[in-house]
Structure formats: C-alpha cells, structure tokens
Amino acid sequence: ELKVEQNPLFLSMQEGKNYTIYCNYSTTSDRLYWYRQDPGKSLESLFVLLSNGAVKQEGRLMASLDTKARLSTLHITAAVHDLSATYFCAVDGAQGAQKLVFGQGTRLTINP
Amino acid sequence: DGGITQSPKYLFRKEGQNVTLSCEQNLNHDAMYWYRQDPGQGLRLIYYSQIVNDFQKGDIAEGYSVSREKKESFPLTVTSAQKNPTAFYLCATGTGWTEAFFGQGTRLTVV
C-alpha cells in the first residue's frame, strides 16, 4: 500500500528565510505532484514531476524528485507572506489511472 | 471558459438522508475523481472513473455511490450508510498524464 509522508507538518518562518518541505513515499512511482491550498479553498496545482531528477521552479518555489530515494522536496527561497498556505504532495499510485495518494500537508505560516 | 464546477458550495444533511453532490467539467477529460478532506488532513480517494459507464472504488468508498452516464458529469451520492459524512468534498479531473485539476469543493455538514 502506497503511503506518503510529509515533514514538517507545521512550519512557521520569517520572511526572507529559506526552508525545505520533504515528501517521502513508500513504493515505486515516477510521478509526483505538489499542490497549494489556501484556507477554505480548493487545491491549486504547483508542480508536476514526471521523472527521476526532475526539477521545476516557479518564483520562490522549487521542487525536485529523486525516485531512487522516493523523495521529493519543495524548497522555499526568501519567503514572503503570500506563500502562507498548506502544501500537499501527492504520488500517483497507479500509472495511467492517476490514483493520487496525498501526504498530510504542511501548514506554512510566514511571519513579517 | 474551461473548468470544473461543483455544486452546491455548502450542503446540510439530516440524519438518515441521502444527498447528491454535483460535479460537471468541460475540459473534455476522460478521468474524474472524488476526494474527501477532513479538517487538517490530506485528501482521500472515494471513487474514480476513467471512462463513461465505468467507475472504480477508491480507498474510502463505503457509504458513497457514483454514476458516470456522461463524460462531463460525475455526481456523488452520500448515503445514510455513511456515518460520518461531515467533510469537504473535492471533485477532480485529469488526463492520466498531467496533474489533476480540482473543483472548488462542496462543504457537507450533518445537522
């Protein structure tokens, strides 16, 4: 059974600092997704990582995938308050069927 | 405007009542999904459908039912057999090879 674990689950940081969210998963998969959720809202797609070594960057966020280690990271550079949200990673448990298994989410709070 | 529409946004259910959540898409995606989110938790898959007239159970299908009579529509019925239905329900679509796109969600509360 595929399990996805994120850490930390809660992260409070100051503006301008850097930090990394980790996503570990238990069985082989080469497709991983990162989503953002604001309070009371739906999920917004951030990154799609489809192969080992994939790296994607958008603004202050950068995501990477190491399929051998079954690990993805979401790195935040010089955080700003607007990045405060809950971030989820999701792993595709069945290629083609896109049965996503989600991590518990990381609630990120960025303080001025 | 392409997208996914869920309705209603808020829904209240009495004990013993069945309720149906609507999900419509005009993205021409074959696959559609229903997820449940409990407060402070990740999403869990209820049902999914990869093609019209076919659907599969996800991890927490008990107490729920679905139909897929049209490509554009994938309604979810929360039956009285679901003992703890209060949650945020999210519908999603996908091609199977790109990210899943989510609707705005329906918040269901038992009263």
Side-chain angles (χ1 to χ4, degrees):
Chain A
E1 179 189 352
L2 173 60
K3 292 191 185 302
V4 181
E5 292 190 352
Q6 290 181 233
N7 73 83
L9 300 184
F10 298 92
L11 179 55
S12 182
M13 52 194 290
Q14 287 187 313
E15 280 191 327
K17 300 290 188 184
N18 303 335
Y19 212 81
T20 301
I21 300 170
Y22 297 89
C23 174
N24 290 91
Y25 54 98
S26 61
T27 64
T28 301
S29 177
D30 57 3
R31 295 199 292 170
L32 189 140
Y33 308 86
W34 283 96
Y35 288 90
R36 168 183 171 145
Q37 186 178 39
D38 292 301
K41 303 294 186 183
S42 185
L43 273 68
E44 173 191 353
S45 176
L46 294 175
F47 299 110
V48 180
L49 303 170
L50 298 178
S51 61
N52 186 42
V55 178
K56 296 277 185 75
Q57 182 163 6
E58 180 73 32
R60 300 174 188 275
L61 301 177
M62 183 173 73
S64 66
L65 178 61
D66 181 343
T67 59
K68 291 184 171 60
R70 298 177 188 165
L71 171 68
S72 179
T73 60
L74 180 66
H75 187 74
I76 303 148
T77 302
V80 293
H81 179 67
D82 285 351
L83 291 179
S84 295
T86 299
Y87 292 86
F88 291 96
C89 64
V91 179
D92 193 338
Q95 196 165 25
Q98 206 166 29
K99 290 177 61 178
L100 298 182
V101 177
F102 282 79
Q104 312 96 305
T106 297
R107 186 177 297 181
L108 175 62
T109 303
I110 299 170
N111 305 302
Chain B
D1 237 346
I4 306 165
T5 302
Q6 287 188 243
S7 62
K9 190 172 179 180
Y10 299 97
L11 187 56
F12 298 90
R13 192 194 95 166
K14 294 181 181 178
E15 295 282 351
Q17 192 178 42
N18 292 355
V19 291
T20 297
L21 284 59
S22 170
C23 179
E24 304 277 333
Q25 58 109 351
N26 61 6
L27 298 170
N28 201 33
H29 289 168
D30 287 319
M32 297 186 74
Y33 309 83
W34 275 106
Y35 289 89
R36 169 181 171 143
Q37 185 179 30
D38 292 288
Q41 303 294 317
L43 279 68
R44 292 181 290 167
L45 182 64
I46 305 172
Y47 269 98
Y48 66 102
S49 168
Q50 292 181 271
I51 196 168
V52 174
N53 292 323
D54 187 49
F55 49 83
Q56 307 294 329
K57 292 182 179 180
D59 300 317
I60 55 165
E62 186 174 347
Y64 300 97
S65 65
V66 293
S67 63
R68 187 85 187 276
E69 296 176 3
K70 300 185 300 181
K71 187 175 185 178
E72 300 80 17
S73 179
F74 191 40
L76 173 74
T77 296
V78 184
T79 75
S80 57
Q82 172 49 243
K83 296 306 178 191
N84 185 23
T86 295
F88 189 42
Y89 291 86
L90 286 157
C91 176
T93 73
T95 63
W97 301 104
T98 62
E99 67 267 45
F101 297 92
F102 285 84
Q104 293 308 300
T106 293
R107 197 166 298 277
L108 174 61
T109 304
V110 174
V111 295

